[in-house]
């Protein structure tokens, strides 16, 4: 068949991926403007044999709005009778500029979304903004701006950049974590945790970032003791902080990993972070000279079935009781003397057994029995039978006569029922510290009353919105302390004078539930409707970087488990498949002797080996793209040079999604 080149259309990859091509490229083209039909693109009607960059740009500009319109139309037309597919890429922090890592992750999610829609699925591919946090606050301080204005400007800029890449997101479901209509429900979920006894406040020795002037969770400090964000050496401070008791869910979170498909090594990372859940905590009430102080200690036991034989409760030298000016500290410091019949004047009342045991500070790492003997402590024998025979419990109240295995399960279960511990966890896992002494974050919805103690803000008074501050300094106490009219309030319970909590939440709390909100983003009455969440969850494919393999995934999984127990959702695990995309690495050049990174224009490439102008050998490596390493690329410049579809196609074929791409500048 002869085909007139005057009637042959030009098609970008976007038209193919959107399902708009329905016929062979060599068939006659009707002159229709319907996005589902082949359409002539040529002002002159003459085929351009040389498919130049300018032609490609005009073709993409012509198709882009048609592809987006068709995606939006299909999203509206998709019926609930079609099989759902939820593809989710981790939402970005609105820094104002996209980098090549963004281009890769969102190209992958966009391609999967189009593919599943062409298979007839009802597809959800949403986008939003992880918009609270230190970078915006620090930028606002440096520029004398309001962090809200800075953040909104950056969101607008990045939204335009994402659109220019031809990405088809469900923008009608966009969420922004710094807006009150979102963080109202972050506060709602915090209150649910508070009411369940899983959000609590205690004095603790914490990691303090001296540069960013805020507390960091243990997970945010690297192996060298430096802050994950500022790089500063972390200091230790004694502060009253808010925690979420994720340790109560350690065993369910560990066990649930077995039912998930392989996550490219991330499951092993999650399991290693949680640890072997072979023991549990028991709650103790602290006593000094026989009088309760009102303080509760949670002590870990690797053999909870032997709790009735406990000899003493040990605290580490780093424990909060040994810092500050408490009376407990002074007693403990002078109490230990070799040869004393009693370890200290400080004791702990076991809320499970009712027994009272001495409190001590072991200065060695001997086994428990050796320590007890050395300190002349008394204890109760609770095991009968040797290693070669079945061991049973004695002197253990109602649990006497049970085997160790039977007692393990019975004792931990009863401790959970009595809410004095018993949740299986590991000895290394710690609760999630969420307090941040900064302004630009979700306010913790609690007021402190002299009569009632900490009281949750009633649901009908949410959200507790951030006050406007005239300036931010980033130094000293929480900036919210300066908002006196905002801090002073009435207690919701007794109506007496009270003070608002001035710490804000770690941004990981915001991102621990955003995948829920995408299913029902405009709901003014609830964080989400259960039937909508149950329809879309679990996320079929979750795409993001391996740097979030521990913290974010652990917190998101925890919150989903909690919501399941609260009857808010049906699914316990939020994500089915996890696709961890590799990095895009750029070629770096640095001086071999000093390690200083050089720009390409500072290097002589004329010889067999590159050398620095002025002499000096060069070390050539491939590293994650970064401005400081002079190996980054501006996505908009790359797109301008090669076109959207060429860049997207290269990203998809250059390496499997989970592997790194070595970006060849000679592409």
């Amino acid at each position: 068949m002869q085909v007139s080149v005057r009637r042959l259309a030009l098609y970008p990859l976007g038209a193919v991926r959107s399902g708009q091509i329905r016929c062979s490229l060599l068939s006659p083209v009707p002159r229709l403007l319907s996005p589902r039909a082949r359409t002539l693109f040529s002002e002159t009607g003459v085929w351009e044999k040389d498919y130049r960059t300018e032609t490609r740009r005009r073709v993409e500009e012509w198709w882009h709005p048609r592809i987006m319109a068709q995606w939006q139309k299909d999203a509206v037309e998709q019926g609930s009778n079609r099989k759902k597919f939820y593809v989710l890429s981790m939402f970005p922090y609105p820094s104002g500029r996209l980098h090549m890592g963004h281009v890769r992750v969102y190209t992958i999610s966009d391609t999967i979304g189009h593919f599943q829609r062409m298979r007839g699925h009802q597809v959800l591919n949403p986008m939003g903004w992880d918009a609270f946090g230190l970078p915006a606050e620090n930028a606002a301080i440096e520029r004398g701006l309001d962090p809200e204005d800075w953040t909104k400007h950056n969101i607008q800029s990045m939204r335009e950049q994402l659109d220019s890449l031809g990405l088809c997101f469900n923008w009608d479901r966009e969420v922004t974590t710094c807006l009150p209509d979102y963080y109202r429900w972050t506060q709602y979920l915090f209150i649910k945790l508070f009411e369940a006894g899983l959000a609590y406040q205690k004095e603790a020795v914490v990691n303090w970032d001296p540069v960013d002037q805020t507390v960091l969770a243990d997970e945010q400090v690297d192996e060298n003791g430096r802050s994950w964000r500022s790089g500063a050496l972390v200091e230790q401070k004694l502060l009253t902080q808010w925690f979420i008791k994720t340790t109560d869910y350690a065993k369910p979170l560990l066990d649930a990993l077995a039912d998930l498909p392989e996550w490219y090594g991330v499951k092993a990372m999650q399991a290693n972070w949680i640890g072997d859940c072979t023991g549990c905590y028991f709650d103790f009430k602290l006593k000094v000279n026989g009088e309760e102080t009102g303080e509760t200690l949670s002590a870990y036991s690797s053999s909870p079935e032997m709790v009735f034989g406990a000899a003493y409760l040990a605290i580490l030298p780093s424990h909060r009781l040994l810092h500050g000016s408490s009376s407990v500290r002074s007693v403990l410091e002078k109490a230990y003397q070799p040869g004393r019949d009693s370890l200290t004047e400080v004791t702990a009342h076991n809320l499970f057994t009712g027994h009272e045991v001495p409190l001590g500070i072991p200065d060695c790492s001997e086994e428990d029995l050796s320590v007890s003997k050395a300190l002349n402590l008394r204890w109760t024998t609770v095991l009968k039978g040797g290693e070669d025979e079945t061991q049973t419990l004695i002197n253990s109240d109602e649990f006497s006569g049970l085997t160790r295995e039977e007692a393990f399960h019975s004792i931990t279960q009863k401790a959970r029922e009595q809410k004095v511990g018993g949740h299986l966890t590991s000895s290394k896992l710690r609760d999630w510290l969420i307090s941040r002494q900064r302004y630009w974050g979700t306010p913790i919805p609690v007021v402190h009353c002299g009569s009632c103690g900490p009281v949750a803000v009633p649901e009908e008074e949410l959200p507790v919105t951030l006050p406007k501050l005239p300036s931010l300094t980033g130094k000293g106490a929480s900036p919210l302390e300066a908002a006196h009219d905002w801090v002073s309030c009435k207690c919701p319970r007794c109506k007496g004078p009270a003070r608002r909590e001035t710490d804000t939440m770690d941004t990981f709390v915001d991102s621990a539930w955003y995948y829920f909100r995408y299913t029902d983003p405009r709901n003014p009455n609830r964080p989400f409707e259960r039937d909508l969440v149950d329809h879309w969850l679990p996320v079929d494919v979750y795409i993001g970087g391996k740097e979030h393999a521990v913290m974010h995934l652990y917190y998101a999984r925890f919150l989903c488990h909690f919501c399941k127990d609260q009857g808010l959702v049906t699914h316990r695990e939020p994500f089915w498949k996890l696709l961890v995309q590799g990095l895009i690495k750029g070629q770096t050049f640095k001086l071999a002797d000093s390690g200083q990174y050089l720009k390409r224009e500072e290097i002589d490439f004329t010889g067999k080996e590159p050398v620095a102008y002025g002499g000096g050998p060069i070390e050539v490596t491939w590293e994650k793209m970064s401005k400081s390493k002079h190996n980054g690329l501006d996505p908009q410049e790359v797109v301008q040079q090669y076109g959207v579809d060429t860049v997207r196609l290269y990203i998809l074929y250059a390496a499997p999604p989970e592997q790194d791409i070595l970006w060849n500048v000679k592409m």
Side-chain angles (χ1 to χ4, degrees):
M1 176 185 295
Q2 294 292 325
V3 180
S4 169
V5 294
R6 292 174 59 85
R7 299 181 63 197
L8 188 61
L10 304 179
Y11 296 94
L13 293 175
V16 179
R17 67 175 179 264
S18 69
Q20 294 176 342
I21 303 304
R22 304 295 186 186
C23 53
S24 166
L25 287 177
L26 296 179
S27 62
V29 182
R31 293 179 178 271
L32 299 175
L33 291 179
S34 167
R36 286 193 174 276
R38 305 186 103 201
T39 310
L40 179 68
F41 176 81
S42 174
E43 291 92 346
T44 64
V46 177
W47 176 261
E48 299 181 26
K49 295 181 180 180
D50 184 9
Y51 190 37
R52 296 186 301 273
T53 301
E54 176 61 21
T55 306
R56 179 167 56 241
R57 182 186 63 78
R58 288 185 287 120
V59 169
E60 291 176 347
E61 287 179 353
W62 191 91
W63 273 103
H64 184 204
R66 288 160 175 79
I67 295 170
M68 299 290 289
Q70 189 61 44
W71 171 268
Q72 294 166 2
K73 180 181 178 183
D74 284 357
V76 173
E77 292 177 350
Q78 290 179 133
S80 59
N81 60 328
R82 300 166 71 183
K83 185 178 179 181
K84 70 92 180 177
F85 195 93
Y86 189 172
V87 54
L88 178 63
S89 44
M90 294 182 183
F91 63 172
Y93 169 75
S95 61
R97 298 293 300 174
L98 291 182
H99 55 67
M100 292 304 295
H102 290 130
V103 177
R104 187 179 194 190
V105 65
Y106 301 135
T107 294
I108 292 171
S109 66
D110 189 61
T111 303
I112 292 174
H114 282 300
F115 174 71
Q116 294 297 338
R117 194 192 62 170
M118 291 171 70
R119 296 182 67 201
H121 290 159
Q122 181 188 19
V123 174
L124 177 59
N125 182 23
M127 178 50 64
W129 310 98
D130 193 7
F132 269 136
L134 276 173
E137 185 169 338
N138 288 341
I141 292 171
E142 292 170 6
R143 295 164 175 80
L145 301 173
D146 187 316
E148 181 177 4
D149 296 337
W150 172 259
T151 300
K152 289 181 176 179
H153 172 78
N154 288 348
I155 287 174
Q156 179 61 31
S157 175
M158 291 181 72
R159 171 80 182 266
E160 293 171 358
Q161 292 173 63
L162 290 173
D163 281 342
S164 71
L165 292 171
L167 299 166
C168 292
F169 291 113
N170 296 101
W171 283 113
D172 58 319
R173 295 174 180 266
E174 180 181 14
V175 300
T176 304
T177 60
C178 69
L179 296 182
D181 66 353
Y182 183 90
Y183 70 72
R184 169 187 181 181
W185 303 113
T186 305
Q187 294 172 340
Y188 170 89
L189 292 171
F190 174 89
I191 290 173
K192 290 294 183 184
L193 290 162
F194 181 76
E195 293 172 345
L198 295 175
Y200 65 96
Q201 193 177 34
K202 73 173 183 180
E203 193 177 41
V205 179
V206 296
N207 305 306
W208 179 260
D209 185 326
V211 172
D212 283 334
Q213 295 284 303
T214 191
V215 166
L216 303 174
D218 288 342
E219 302 94 318
Q220 295 168 329
V221 181
D222 68 17
E223 63 273 12
N224 299 315
R226 293 185 177 276
S227 166
W228 73 307
R229 188 181 296 280
S230 72
L233 278 172
V234 169
E235 302 170 358
Q236 300 297 302
K237 275 194 174 186
L238 183 66
L239 294 172
T240 300
Q241 301 288 283
W242 283 96
F243 294 81
I244 294 178
K245 196 176 288 188
T246 56
T247 51
D248 279 10
Y249 279 78
K251 189 67 164 68
L253 286 167
L254 181 65
D255 292 345
L257 291 172
D259 299 325
L260 296 171
E262 182 49 49
W263 281 1
Y264 302 102
V266 173
K267 282 173 58 174
M269 295 172 68
Q270 286 271 301
N272 181 66
W273 180 257
I274 296 170
D276 295 329
C277 297
T278 55
C280 72
Y281 285 89
F282 289 100
D283 288 343
F284 291 75
K285 286 294 185 182
L286 196 65
K287 288 186 175 182
V288 177
N289 296 321
E291 297 292 328
E292 286 195 2
T293 65
E295 296 183 78
T296 300
L297 296 176
S298 292
Y300 185 81
S301 172
S302 59
S303 301
E305 72 277 12
M306 300 176 68
V307 66
F308 284 89
Y312 67 94
L313 189 153
I315 61 174
L316 295 173
S318 60
H319 195 277
R320 62 188 174 86
L321 292 176
L322 303 180
H323 294 258
S325 58
S326 69
S327 59
V328 176
R329 176 192 178 187
S330 60
V331 172
L332 286 172
E333 285 180 334
K334 64 184 180 181
Y336 176 65
Q337 297 175 8
R340 287 186 53 152
D341 291 336
S342 174
L343 184 61
T344 71
E345 299 169 358
V346 182
T347 59
H349 175 229
N350 189 320
L351 298 183
F352 181 74
T353 65
H355 296 172
E356 193 168 308
V357 295
L359 185 72
I361 313 167
D363 60 353
C364 60
S365 58
E366 299 176 25
E367 295 292 338
D368 293 348
L369 181 61
S370 300
V371 173
S372 299
K373 286 181 177 180
L375 297 176
N376 196 28
L377 297 176
R378 294 182 295 272
W379 68 92
T380 301
T381 300
V382 293
L383 277 183
K384 177 182 178 183
E387 294 182 1
D388 298 333
E389 55 185 305
T390 302
Q391 294 180 314
T392 57
L393 263 66
I394 59 175
N395 302 320
S396 299
D397 289 358
E398 67 198 79
F399 306 101
S400 297
L402 298 179
T403 66
R404 288 192 69 172
E405 183 178 359
E406 291 170 340
F408 180 94
H409 295 294
S410 297
I411 286 175
T412 54
Q413 179 179 345
K414 187 168 183 179
R416 290 194 296 270
E417 292 172 352
Q418 294 181 348
K419 297 184 178 180
V420 293
H423 294 275
L424 297 182
T425 185
S426 71
S427 59
K428 67 177 184 178
L429 192 65
R430 298 292 180 264
D431 286 338
W432 179 13
L433 192 164
I434 67 162
S435 283
R436 297 295 179 269
Q437 291 67 45
R438 299 302 294 252
Y439 168 76
W440 192 235
T442 298
I444 295 176
V446 170
V447 301
H448 298 278
C449 173
S451 300
C452 305
V455 180
V457 173
E459 181 182 338
E460 60 271 16
E461 295 182 16
L462 298 180
V464 177
T465 56
L466 284 170
K468 288 288 186 181
L469 295 183
S471 64
L472 293 171
T473 64
K475 302 296 182 183
S478 168
L480 290 174
E481 294 279 5
H484 303 294
D485 293 341
W486 182 86
V487 172
S488 299
C489 61
K490 290 185 177 181
C491 173
R493 188 175 297 164
C494 71
K495 308 306 179 185
R499 289 176 54 84
R500 292 194 187 278
E501 174 60 60
T502 56
D503 283 355
T504 53
M505 295 188 209
D506 179 14
T507 56
F508 279 110
V509 183
D510 306 319
S511 59
W513 75 280
Y514 77 114
Y515 52 90
F516 285 143
R517 188 63 174 175
Y518 278 141
T519 69
D520 194 13
R522 302 293 170 256
N523 194 326
N525 302 313
R526 298 180 59 79
F528 45 79
E529 289 294 340
R530 176 167 177 168
D531 61 337
L532 292 173
V533 169
D534 289 347
H535 170 71
W536 286 109
L537 259 60
V539 173
D540 295 276
V541 177
Y542 192 31
I543 309 167
K546 206 165 189 174
E547 66 271 21
H548 297 299
V550 174
M551 289 188 289
H552 165 63
L553 279 175
Y554 177 69
Y555 300 144
R557 293 181 61 229
F558 159 77
L559 197 64
C560 194
H561 278 239
F562 170 73
C563 287
K564 168 68 166 62
D565 290 345
Q566 291 288 305
L568 298 175
V569 299
T570 297
H571 302 283
R572 191 170 292 277
E573 284 292 325
F575 315 119
W576 176 238
K577 290 184 179 180
L578 179 69
L579 197 165
V580 180
Q581 94 278 358
L583 300 174
I584 296 185
K585 294 184 175 181
Q587 201 171 29
T588 61
F589 306 91
K590 54 186 177 182
L591 293 174
D593 53 353
S594 66
Q596 177 187 349
Y597 288 97
L598 301 177
K599 300 177 182 179
R600 292 186 67 86
E601 53 267 28
E602 297 175 311
I603 302 167
D604 183 359
F605 292 96
T606 57
K608 290 185 177 181
E609 299 292 335
V611 294
Y613 285 121
I618 298 294
E619 182 181 339
V620 182
T621 59
W622 294 89
E623 299 182 46
K624 181 180 179 180
M625 288 186 176
S626 167
K627 289 182 179 179
S628 63
K629 298 174 183 177
H630 308 299
N631 68 340
L633 291 172
D634 185 334
Q636 288 182 298
E637 292 181 4
V638 178
V639 168
Q640 184 68 28
Q641 182 177 359
Y642 299 105
V644 172
D645 285 296
T646 303
V647 173
R648 288 171 54 118
L649 182 60
Y650 180 79
I651 283 175
L652 292 172
Y653 97 87
E658 69 276 7
Q659 294 183 11
D660 295 340
I661 293 177
L662 305 183
W663 192 273
N664 187 350
V665 295
K666 297 179 181 179
M667 181 189 75

